[in-house]
Amino acid sequence: MTAEGSAKRVTRRRVRTRARLLEAAFGVFAAKGFGRVSIEEVCEAAGFSRGAFYSNFATLDELFFALYRERADLIAEQVADALAGDGPDLDVPASVDRVTEVLLLDVDWLLVKTDFLVHAARDPEVAGALLGHRARLRHAIADRLSRAKGHTELPAVLGDVDGAAHAVVAAYDGVTTQLLLDRDVETARAWLKQLLTALLTDGGSASGRVG
């Protein structure tokens, strides 16, 4: 085997190792909370040694932040895809259904994200990463609303599509806080659908299209 072929095999193995560590860490962080997890527990869950861990991450903090960025980017992409399903028009009920399915079902993600929020509240650098994720979510929503040709007028109190995007994310924050406490996914999904439909259709009316 050539040196180049050997290097590619090592690189692929390292990518798989890193992915497995991130997947295992996600389950451990969700179950115990970031501040209560050790490197040994992550390694045990992944089936690796500490050496495998340190060949990919310098610290547990670095792994946690890498995990957050990976999952946050995935969620932002899923939201953008969910909002893109109606072509140039915007079917609000259908879009809200797709977005709530993406955003709401993963309670483990909400637990990990809440841990990240606590860290962000005390560390400006961490806060920057969280704010960046939230900005991507708002951008996906605002971009979709701005391109919708057959959508009803947004409520005047929201101002514009950016204001509407902020309101959507705020509604999600409120509903998911309750979800973390009562674990009632179906009620949370129904409530979020009602809130988002009201926000995006001026009280839920589907008539009076413009554009």
Side-chain angles (χ1 to χ4, degrees), residues 17 35 52-53 111 115 117 140 149 172 174:
T17 299
F53 179 93
L111 288 168
D115 272 350
L117 174 61
K149 297 179 179 179
Y172 170 65

Side-chain angles (χ1 to χ4, degrees), residues 4-81:
E4 181 181 354
S6 178
K8 287 182 178 178
R9 187 175 67 177
V10 170
T11 299
R12 286 197 297 270
R13 184 167 66 244
R14 184 169 182 178
V15 168
R16 289 195 297 269
T17 299
R18 179 183 175 88
R20 192 165 163 184
L21 283 166
L22 288 169
E23 181 180 0
F26 180 77
V28 176
F29 289 146
K32 299 190 67 174
F34 173 66
R36 298 182 178 182
V37 173
S38 67
I39 291 175
E40 288 77 12
E41 287 174 302
V42 172
C43 291
E44 182 180 354
F48 291 132
S49 66
R50 287 175 66 93
F53 179 93
Y54 285 117
S55 69
N56 288 274
F57 303 102
T59 65
L60 199 60
D61 279 22
E62 183 181 328
L63 181 149
F64 185 55
F65 299 155
L67 172 66
Y68 178 83
R69 286 193 298 268
E70 177 186 79
R71 296 278 172 152
D73 288 345
L74 175 62
I75 293 294
E77 290 174 9
Q78 289 175 329
V79 169
D81 289 344

